[in-house]
Amino acid sequence: MTQAGRSSLASVECLHCALPVPVYRRDGGRSSGQFCCFGCRFAHGLARPSAAEDDGALGGLPSTLVLRLGLGIFLAINIMVFSWIFYSGEVFGAVAAPDEPYRPLFALFAYLLMFLCSVVVVSLGFPLAGDAVDRMRTPIGAHTRFRGRVDANLLICIGVGAAFTLSVIHTVRGQGSLYYDTAAMVLVIVTLGQYLEAGAKRRASGAAGALLASVPRRAWVRRGGEVLEIDSADLAREDEVRVRAGEAVPVDGRVIEGASRIDESSMTGEARPRDVREGDRLLAGSVNLDGALWLRAEGVGQETALARVERMLDEARLRQPRIQRAADRVSAWFVPGVVLVALGVFAWHALNGAPTSGLFRALSVLLISCPCALGLAAPLATWNALRKAARHGIVIDSAITLERAAAVRAVFLDKTGTLTARRLRLARIDTAPGVSEIQALEWSAGLELTSLHPIADVLVDETERRGARPATVEAGKTLPGLGLEGRVAGRLLCLGSQRLISSRGIDTEFPAGAPEEATIAVYLADEERLLARFELAEVLREDAAAAVEALRRMGVEPTMLTGDRAGPANRIARALNLAVVSDLLPDDKLRHLESARAAGRLVAMVGDGINDSPVLAAADVGIAMGSAADLAKQAGNVHLIADRVDRVPLTLAIARHAMLRIRLNLAWAFSYNTIGITLAAVGWLTPVFAASAMFFSSLIVVGISRGAGSVRRDRVEDATS
Ligand code: ADP
Ligand code: MG
């Protein structure tokens, strides 16, 4: 239904931060865990217990990486301090040059620095270079072969190695400048920076599984007359589960005993508690506020609605939006481009007899360039937006949907069950002579048993409320947008709109007169005559007016599409001050959508997800109203499990906000790199400064992405502009 499932985009996620691993770092499934950057690999190594600890022999000993990093930082600081001795010579020239008697002392210091620095090179430079070399060895498909070969980290290592070697030569010769401090500090900052960046990425993408955290680990069940406390993982369907006041619900299930109020905010973002009593359905993760309840489990573990939402989010995260593919293409050229600039700078200086300053400028160019904004901006921002949407009870199936939702300019809304409350009220029944109300209800309820239309609920409930039972129906059939038909005791009955009945050549006039203008009229007939007419009253959803208003303020044009007749449709449309098209069959709705799209606009369709599947599927963004329990059977790219229309403008607002953040990040990346690389190339930045700038730039990128999708609900409702 969406073009999202292209397998070439299927991502591998980083073992440390769970963000997609860029193509050029993938190893084609060679190893079990893959990392998106050196930082994540390093951080993962830090967090993982050392091999010795695994054996249990030296429990608690930190991994060698911790020691290496700690040692590296400590030594680099010492190297910086001792290097000042040599700077005096650089700054004051011959005046500060050591007098003859002190030369041996200076030489001693130089050798000391050489020793300290070589420890740093071994402890931090080797892992960095090792990772880069691994990337070079990576077998990659023909398409990406080239990208895999260039790794900025490797060139940084070469640059640092050159600075170190140069210093060693100068130390042995006893003349020339020493760059031990630069070499050591660059290694420390690059490693530390990439390590901290990995942590920031992990935190920013971290709440995977956060939804499920609201499901309690332990549960009380009644089995064989006994009440036991067991692990939630061991719950089974049909178990009777106790949930006391203040406890979270461990399963999806139906209340079999007790009454209470339930807080479902973890799923729907709705703060107002819901009253529940026997027969009501509860979802795992909601919290029982007042009374003690017994539930019969209907969904446990991975079958719960919450687990399904979590899985959808997980999949959504790995399908990247178009803007990311564009960024990927740029970043494929970015690293080679930076490398070329660096090599060019070095070559130019070398040819002009200044290889050393060429070396440092080239190193600065490599260090300051920050490709991470390109790779990171979209995945982090979309992931944060998807998660924030979920907190409002909005489940979005992919980043691609998010991207489209941001561009939506027209929204079509279904009437019954979408703009109006799902629950209808049976306002009046008229029957033909010789037909009782109960009979009419039994036949209709029989036909409606298989239907998921809101009309079905009222008729079936009313029949049961009157103590009658739905009739048995054979060969029942749904007539989309019209009603239903089926055989009851051999007689063919049909139930539905006036249009349906008239189309069978049956008069729909009743002696009681026309139905009330504002109600939905549903007719029951056999092959010869009209048997009954039901009038159903519908009420607007309390948030419908605000939602329509918010859409309009966002510059989105809302229109109501309905299969109902003009009377009730116009009443609703007037109340909401909304354009309306009535008397539509499902195919007409499709045509309507198509013509709106032909005008070049992206359109969203909001419907109840079950009746309106084809239309939802045809829209650029199909938004299904419904509960989390319906999630599996619904069509659509967006599921409003909060079951509120005000989530429609909120969805669009979150999407726009996320896209804005992504663009902001790309703009930052572009200007930062252009300015930074230029300054580094002309020699205004030292390598140490360049490495630090790069670290802050990546933190800025992470910070911008983290905020993506943070839209306040009340802001959307009374947004002006
Ligand atoms: P809407 O666009 O308002 O959701 P539908 O296209 O679902 O309306 O249905 C249009 C009309 O068809 C309804 O107003 C009703 O008269 C009739 N209809 C559809 N489904 C049913 C049903 N299950 N039972 C009775 N009538 C139905
Ligand atoms: Mg409908």
Side-chain angles (χ1 to χ4, degrees), residues 414 416 453 608 611-612:
D414 188 38
T416 318
H453 202 281
D608 66 11
N611 285 300
D612 302 311

Side-chain angles (χ1 to χ4, degrees), residues 92-99:
F92 303 112
V95 184
D99 293 337

Side-chain angles (χ1 to χ4, degrees), residues 580-609:
V580 59
V581 192
S582 49
D583 276 314
L584 295 174
L585 288 177
D587 276 352
D588 303 328
K589 290 186 183 174
L590 275 181
R591 260 194 299 280
H592 228 82
L593 216 63
E594 287 305 330
S595 64
R597 295 182 62 187
R601 287 184 304 184
L602 252 55
V603 300
M605 170 80 205
V606 192
D608 66 11

Side-chain angles (χ1 to χ4, degrees), residues 97-169:
D99 293 337
E100 196 53 44
Y102 296 109
R103 277 187 189 271
L105 189 61
F106 268 70
L108 185 66
F109 268 113
Y111 277 103
L112 177 67
L113 288 179
M114 182 178 86
F115 171 71
L116 297 182
C117 190
S118 57
V119 176
V120 178
V121 166
V122 170
S123 58
L124 294 182
F126 282 18
L128 196 62
D131 177 74
V133 169
D134 275 355
R135 294 279 74 71
M136 271 174 40
R137 280 202 241 118
T138 300
I140 296 175
H143 173 58
T144 49
R145 176 173 302 139
F146 224 47
R147 286 184 225 173
R149 308 278 149 168
V150 209
D151 191 295
N153 275 354
L154 183 68
L155 289 160
I156 289 173
C157 290
I158 292 174
V160 167
F164 178 71
T165 314
L166 204 60
S167 308
V168 170
I169 294 171

Side-chain angles (χ1 to χ4, degrees), residues 326-652:
D328 276 345
R329 272 199 294 278
V330 175
S331 65
W333 290 102
F334 181 81
V335 177
V338 169
V339 167
L340 277 183
V341 172
L343 292 179
V345 166
F346 176 73
W348 195 78
H349 282 84
L351 292 176
N352 288 291
T356 315
S357 75
L359 174 69
F360 285 105
R361 286 176 193 199
L363 194 55
S364 300
V365 168
L366 292 171
L367 286 167
I368 203 160
S369 71
C370 178
C372 74
L374 294 167
L376 218 58
L380 258 188
T382 49
W383 179 219
N384 273 292
L386 293 173
R387 242 172 51 206
K388 280 170 196 156
R391 277 196 219 131
H392 296 289
I394 303 168
V395 184
I396 301 174
D397 74 348
S398 72
I400 299 172
T401 301
L402 197 70
E403 191 174 33
R404 287 207 206 121
V408 159
R409 288 294 172 272
V411 172
F412 293 100
L413 300 124
D414 188 38
K415 179 178 69 92
T416 318
T418 300
L419 285 170
T420 67
R422 193 173 292 274
R423 277 233 64 82
L424 300 167
R425 187 172 56 81
L426 184 56
R428 185 185 163 106
I429 309 181
D430 288 291
T431 54
V435 179
S436 72
E437 288 193 2
I438 284 286
Q439 265 175 337
L441 277 169
E442 283 175 345
W443 293 332
S444 308
L447 289 166
E448 294 283 13
L449 271 185
T450 54
S451 169
L452 297 162
H453 202 281
I455 293 174
D457 290 342
V458 211
L459 295 181
V460 173
D461 288 354
E462 180 66 17
T463 309
E464 283 170 355
R465 197 184 65 79
R466 295 193 187 189
R469 254 192 289 140
T472 312
V473 172
E474 281 156 27
K477 193 161 97 182
T478 303
L479 311 165
L482 291 168
L484 310 141
E485 66 173 17
R487 285 191 182 278
V488 175
R491 187 154 67 133
L492 183 66
L493 298 182
C494 64
L495 176 73
S497 62
Q498 184 174 29
R499 185 181 193 158
L500 171 68
I501 306 298
S502 308
S503 74
R504 313 231 151 156
I506 290 163
D507 185 19
T508 54
E509 289 300 308
F510 253 113
E516 166 94 39
E517 180 63 12
T519 59
I520 300 178
V522 177
Y523 299 80
L524 176 70
D526 62 13
E527 281 167 296
E528 276 122 42
R529 63 170 186 146
L530 192 63
L531 301 174
R533 182 179 74 199
F534 304 95
E535 288 180 50
L536 309 170
E538 54 184 347
V539 286
L540 272 180
R541 284 181 185 260
E542 53 179 13
D543 53 346
V548 167
E549 196 42 38
L551 283 175
R552 204 168 276 135
R553 267 195 307 254
M554 294 172 75
V556 175
E557 189 192 320
T559 309
M560 181 167 103
L561 296 184
T562 180
D564 205 358
R565 66 206 168 95
N570 288 339
R571 186 183 69 96
I572 302 283
R574 265 197 308 279
L576 294 175
N577 181 25
L578 186 68
V580 59
V581 192
S582 49
D583 276 314
L584 295 174
L585 288 177
D587 276 352
D588 303 328
K589 290 186 183 174
L590 275 181
R591 260 194 299 280
H592 228 82
L593 216 63
E594 287 305 330
S595 64
R597 295 182 62 187
R601 287 184 304 184
L602 252 55
V603 300
M605 170 80 205
V606 192
D608 66 11
I610 296 168
N611 285 300
D612 302 311
S613 320
V615 203
L616 291 191
D620 294 299
V621 180
I623 305 179
M625 307 276 298
S627 65
D630 296 333
L631 204 61
K633 50 183 186 244
Q634 280 184 339
N637 324 100
V638 179
H639 300 267
L640 305 183
I641 60 176
D643 198 27
R644 293 175 60 92
V645 247
D646 62 5
R647 298 300 193 267
V648 175
L650 188 58
T651 304
L652 304 189

